[in-house]
Amino acid sequence: MALNTFTKTVVGSNNQRVIDDTMLKLWRADNNRFSHEYAYVAKEGDRILGLMTCYPAKTMDRLLFPTAVKILRYRHLGFLIHSLKNRKDFRSMLRLKEAKEDEFHIGTLAMLPESRGKGIGTMLIHKAEQFAREQGLDKLSLTVDQNNPAARKLYERVGFHIVHQSDQKPFAVYRMVKQVDEGAKR
């Protein structure tokens, strides 16, 4: 849901069923950037309200190769053919610098439509701040699609600032960073 255009390039398909199937396999598998291992779910009873994936940037970088291996295993030639046909998109994705080494990165933050505007995103961001502090990191980072002003507004409201704008089509994103409040350490 939150990855939209990105997943077409990552998975190497325009077919939504293939994208969903591959992302589900990645979710269930360990040791990859989209794994349940790095996901935190906001729930009300048994009802899921939203989800966040996050990790230290060093971990995210370390997961690049194992993630690529899993995608190749799941998609085989389909990934390679799509990547060759869409070289510009693939190169743009590889050029994206989502986080710096000294940051704790929020890879995905998504709320179900009926959960938006209820503070769930803010709550998950505060959880990421806690994780960052536990890892000894004092900055959070994320990227947000330039065509998602509602998400950008949320991030700015909780203290994120745009530090870079990338217009590498189709990934027109803002890289945003927030200083983690040292006073909140316990």
Side-chain angles (χ1 to χ4, degrees):
M1 186 167 66
L3 298 172
N4 56 44
T5 306
F6 188 66
T7 56
K8 290 178 182 179
T9 304
V10 167
V11 170
S13 179
N14 291 320
N15 181 311
Q16 194 59 49
R17 186 191 57 73
V18 171
I19 292 169
D20 292 346
D21 181 56
T22 305
M23 294 305 290
L24 184 59
K25 286 177 182 175
L26 289 168
W27 168 263
R28 290 179 175 157
D30 292 339
N31 196 36
N32 78 83
R33 186 177 164 169
F34 305 102
S35 174
H36 64 279
E37 294 175 288
Y38 304 101
Y40 303 91
V41 178
K43 292 173 117 181
E44 185 176 67
D46 288 337
R47 201 171 126 235
I48 293 175
L49 305 173
L51 173 131
M52 171 182 68
T53 58
C54 57
Y55 18 60
K58 286 181 181 180
T59 299
M60 182 179 74
D61 291 344
R62 179 185 58 76
L63 292 170
L64 178 63
F65 183 73
T67 302
V69 168
K70 283 177 176 53
I71 291 168
L72 280 170
R73 187 177 324 133
Y74 301 150
R75 293 280 298 123
H76 310 287
L77 283 177
F79 173 78
L80 295 174
I81 291 167
H82 186 273
S83 297
L84 288 172
K85 286 182 179 178
N86 298 277
R87 284 188 297 282
K88 286 182 181 179
D89 293 355
F90 191 72
R91 274 196 309 269
S92 293
M93 180 185 67
L94 291 176
R95 283 192 205 123
L96 277 179
K97 183 63 178 163
E98 296 175 85
K100 293 189 177 181
E101 192 173 288
D102 64 340
E103 297 169 350
F104 194 84
H105 187 70
I106 298 173
T108 306
L109 184 65
M111 287 347 97
L112 291 175
E114 62 271 17
S115 301
R116 293 183 186 144
K118 296 182 179 180
I120 307 301
T122 300
M123 179 190 71
L124 287 168
I125 290 168
H126 290 315
K127 192 69 173 167
E129 289 175 0
Q130 175 189 336
F131 294 144
R133 286 189 296 274
E134 289 170 1
Q135 295 281 327
L137 297 168
D138 63 358
K139 286 185 259 179
L140 280 180
S141 64
L142 54 80
T143 58
V144 61
D145 192 305
Q146 290 178 21
N147 295 316
N148 191 348
R152 180 178 160 198
K153 186 176 177 180
L154 163 67
Y155 302 142
E156 288 173 336
R157 191 174 67 246
V158 297
F160 282 89
H161 302 280
I162 295 171
V163 295
H164 182 73
Q165 177 176 331
S166 175
D167 291 315
Q168 297 181 43
K169 304 287 186 231
F171 308 108
V173 298
Y174 296 114
R175 190 172 107 69
M176 300 181 80
V177 172
K178 176 185 181 175
Q179 196 71 33
V180 174
D181 182 13
E182 290 293 319
K185 283 188 179 182
R186 294 182 187 164

